Amino acid sequence: MNILQTWQLLLLFLIASINVYTFSLYFIDKRKAIKNKRRISEKQLLIPTYLFGGLGAAFAMSTFRHKTQTTKFKVSAPLGVFITIGALSLIFYY
């Protein structure tokens, strides 16, 4: 049995935190959209999506049915998932 090293655990915690943060941003933006309030910018949603928050973005998009019709987000979420899974693979590989 292979036990993860400290640096691997820290990176996993960081990636998990980024995904929770990204998921929360999409949730907040959806609530603001429903209430016709000032929204979170697309840039603020996409940056954490690309910075290893792709899983959180994809899960939020499917859970809240938010940004699912926007081409930019239809492409960005799977790309973010790919980046996140790639990073996770590297963490577990080394």
Side-chain angles (χ1 to χ4, degrees):
M1 182 173 202
N2 213 358
I3 297 176
L4 295 177
Q5 296 179 12
T6 304
W7 68 270
Q8 290 171 310
L9 292 172
L10 289 172
L11 288 176
L12 290 174
F13 177 76
L14 178 64
I15 289 174
S17 298
I18 292 169
N19 279 282
V20 169
Y21 173 74
T22 306
F23 182 86
S24 300
L25 282 179
Y26 280 77
F27 172 75
I28 291 166
D29 191 53
K30 177 66 174 187
R31 294 294 150 227
K32 288 183 175 191
I34 291 170
K35 295 180 180 183
N36 291 321
K37 294 197 174 190
R38 186 178 171 147
R39 307 272 301 278
I40 297 172
S41 72
E42 288 186 353
K43 182 179 177 181
Q44 288 177 310
L45 291 172
L46 290 173
I47 288 174
T49 300
Y50 290 129
L51 294 176
F52 312 112
L55 296 172
F59 186 59
M61 287 174 66
S62 66
T63 301
F64 307 125
R65 291 183 288 156
H66 187 52
K67 298 289 189 184
T68 56
Q69 300 301 313
T70 308
T71 304
K72 186 186 296 186
F73 285 89
K74 281 191 216 180
V75 172
S76 298
L79 183 57
V81 169
F82 180 74
I83 292 168
T84 305
I85 290 174
L88 292 172
S89 299
L90 288 174
I91 290 169
F92 283 109
Y93 179 74
Y94 290 103

